[in-house]
Every structure is written in structure tokens, then in C-alpha cells.
Amino acid sequence: EDGGEAVTGADVDAMSDAELSERIEKIRVFARVSPENKVRIVKAFQNGGARVTAMTGDGVNDAPSLKTADIGIGMGITGTDVSKGASDMVLTDDNFATIVAAVEEGRKVFSNIKKAVQFLLSANIAEVICLFAVSVFLGLPFLTPVMILWVNLVTDSLPALALGVERGEKGIMLQKPRKSGSSLFAGRTGADILIQGALQSLLVLGTFCTVYYGFGSETGAVTAAFVTLCFVQLFHSFNMRYPTTLFARGAFSNRWLNGAFLVGAVLALAAVLVPGLNGLLGAAPLSGAEWGVALGFSAAIVPLVEVQKVVGRRFEK
């Protein structure tokens, strides 16, 4: 039907590689093929422009083609040790439907890794920009080394771990497969990291300048900037949940991220409010107005990134 063909291994032997590549899309059944024929069939699909070529097999004679294919899929129950060793994926239940579940899980894992990396890199870019701008251009004292370590070890790490257990995005199986060997920063990811890092740095610098020039307090400005840097990253972790909008599906449905936010918030507040600990970090007490400035600038990262996501999608289209 539909112009499909059925060929045998002898027919494949009679074709040149060019002829096989030309006819490969029309052939629906290959019968009585040798291990060499299977390798040629896989290569013909690859030469024909197939994005991803997968091969299933369970016998020793399937090993060469399993190795040649982009994804070799071995059978876990009936498959030989040789075929399993040559495969990229092994179906422990010998059920082809499991391949779909494995692809979905793999896409979810990759997406979560990208979210965690994007969160950490944008946060670190913000720290670098802030330190450079205040130290070089303003010539003023800024965050102490202990403050920076506190932010990196306490505020950054817990949300990044929580993002790693995020549920799969809706419609993740409708996305096109990634190209083999594509970078983690392909698409908008690299630009998003730079833009979101710059937004965070602007908010921290805004807090510092507001308290320093508005309230005339140097130690208060440093402490307020520290609080903003902690909380802006905690708020930003929620932005990382979905590439479209934070409110696409339950902003607070990830209980691990909720817990990471609360723990990070308590530790950030303790760094300022607990006697002895604030002296170790070089933090000073803040007035109610200074707390308002710091937390207000921190929360602003959510609407700013929401706008950036909308603009990014428009440019992508």
C-alpha cells in the first residue's frame, strides 16, 4: 500500500549504497537479511537525512547494526549479552512501549539539568557583575568573602537540587528531538542566562545604591545588597520551573523547591539577625525601610523574567 516495497537480503546485496539510500524511504519490509545488510540499512537511513535512527535487536548478529545506529536498543529478557553490550538502551521487559517512557524520562532529566545549570550560571554572573561594578566603578566596599560563600553554599545549592526533581513539562513529548551533539546552551538558553544574570545584578545594585545614597548607610547598603542577592536568587528559582511562564501549572507544586526556598530564606535572615553570625559575615542590622527596599527589589525578579520570557518567545517566532 502507498507504494511501499518488500525486499530480501539478496535484493539488498544487489543494490549499491547510493541506490539503497535512494529507495530506503519506500521500503517497508526487509526479510532474510544478513548482519552486513542490517548495517547497510541503518547507514542508508542515516545518509537519507533521518534525524535519529534507532535499531532493535536481541541476537549476536544484531550487534554491528546496534552499534552503528544512533540509538541501539537491546532486549533485556531474550537478548544476548553481546547485543546488550552493543546497545545504548536495554528494554528490561522487552516491551517496545517502554521506549516511549524512557524517552519521556530522558527529556525530563535533560530539561531539569538545563534548568539547574541556567539557575546557577545566571546567579553567578549576577555576583560577578555586582562585585566588579561596585568595586571598580563606584570604588565602595561591597560584599565580604564570607557573604559570597554564604550565598553560594546556602542560597544557590538547595534550589538547584530542588529543580533537579521537577516534574516533566506539559507537552514535553511533542517537542522535536534535539540534534545529536547539540550544546546545552543551544536555542535561547545562553541568551537567557546572560539576560537573567544582568537583571539580578541590576536589582542588587539598585538596592545598594538606594540604601547607600538614600539612607546614607554604608554598612546598611552592603547588608541590604547581601539580603537582596540571597532572596533574588530564591525568587528566581521559581522562574526556572517553566520556560513559558511561572504560572503555567501550579507555581508552588514543587514541594522540594518550596522547602528549599523556606530553608534558604531562614538562613539568609539568620545571617543578618542572629548575633555572632552577623558579626562573622560582616552584616549590620537593617531598619524596616531598608528591609522593604531589599525584599522589594528581590521580588521584582519574578515579573521582570516573566516579561523577558514573553519578549524572548516573540523574537523566537
Side-chain angles (χ1 to χ4, degrees):
E1 295 180 356
D2 300 325
E5 301 178 22
V7 300
T8 64
D11 297 324
V12 173
D13 288 332
M15 300 182 201
S16 65
D17 291 340
E19 185 180 0
L20 180 60
S21 297
E22 184 179 344
R23 293 179 57 187
I24 195 71
E25 293 294 338
K26 298 180 180 179
I27 301 174
R28 294 292 177 265
V29 178
F30 294 92
R32 298 180 180 178
V33 290
S34 65
E36 293 79 9
N37 293 149
K38 294 179 182 180
V39 172
R40 289 188 63 202
I41 292 168
V42 170
K43 288 184 177 179
F45 274 113
Q46 292 172 332
N47 294 335
R51 185 184 291 269
V52 177
T53 302
M55 172 72 186
T56 60
D58 58 2
V60 175
N61 62 339
D62 294 318
S65 52
L66 288 170
K67 197 71 175 177
T68 303
D70 297 308
I71 302 175
I73 305 170
M75 302 294 111
I77 299 176
T78 60
T80 62
D81 291 338
V82 174
S83 64
K84 293 178 187 178
S87 300
D88 302 295
M89 178 193 301
V90 177
L91 298 179
T92 56
D93 57 359
D94 283 10
N95 185 353
F96 283 3
T98 306
I99 298 175
V100 180
V103 171
E104 184 175 8
E105 186 68 18
R107 290 187 174 191
K108 184 182 78 172
V109 170
F110 181 83
S111 176
N112 289 348
I113 290 173
K114 188 162 72 170
K115 291 173 185 175
V117 170
Q118 182 174 340
F119 168 73
L120 291 171
L121 288 181
S122 62
N124 282 278
I125 286 175
E127 295 173 20
V128 171
I129 293 176
C130 291
L131 288 168
F132 183 81
V134 175
S135 301
V136 175
F137 294 108
L138 299 180
L140 298 172
F142 199 51
L143 303 182
T144 64
V146 182
M147 284 181 174
I148 298 171
L149 286 174
W150 190 268
V151 172
N152 287 332
L153 295 176
V154 175
T155 310
D156 285 1
S157 58
L158 294 178
L161 291 172
L163 287 170
V165 294
E166 186 70 49
R167 290 186 300 167
E169 299 164 17
K170 186 178 180 180
I172 196 169
M173 291 298 288
L174 300 178
Q175 300 173 5
K176 292 183 179 180
R178 292 181 297 107
K179 291 184 178 180
S180 178
S182 63
S183 170
L184 183 69
F185 305 102
R188 282 174 33 208
T189 305
D192 286 345
I193 290 173
L194 294 175
I195 294 171
Q196 291 165 11
L199 290 175
Q200 292 178 70
S201 64
L202 288 175
L203 293 173
V204 175
L205 292 173
T207 299
F208 179 83
C209 293
T210 300
V211 176
Y212 184 83
Y213 294 107
F215 296 87
S217 173
E218 182 178 296
T219 56
V222 172
T223 304
F226 166 71
V227 171
T228 301
L229 186 59
C230 289
F231 277 91
V232 78
Q233 294 181 13
L234 291 174
F235 282 117
H236 184 53
S237 64
F238 286 93
N239 289 325
M240 292 293 94
R241 295 194 61 201
Y242 306 111
T244 52
T245 174
L246 168 63
F247 306 101
R249 185 187 63 192
F252 305 105
S253 58
N254 185 340
R255 58 189 180 91
W256 293 105
L257 188 58
N258 298 338
F261 180 91
L262 292 175
V263 172
V266 168
L267 292 172
L269 294 174
V272 179
L273 300 176
V274 175
L277 182 59
N278 53 13
L280 178 64
L281 272 69
L286 297 176
S287 65
E290 289 170 340
W291 276 109
V293 170
L295 297 178
F297 272 95
S298 301
I301 190 64
V302 175
L304 286 175
V305 173
E306 286 292 302
V307 172
Q308 182 253 327
K309 289 178 181 178
V310 173
V311 174
R313 290 198 301 274
R314 294 277 179 88
F315 275 104
E316 199 172 34
K317 288 181 180 180

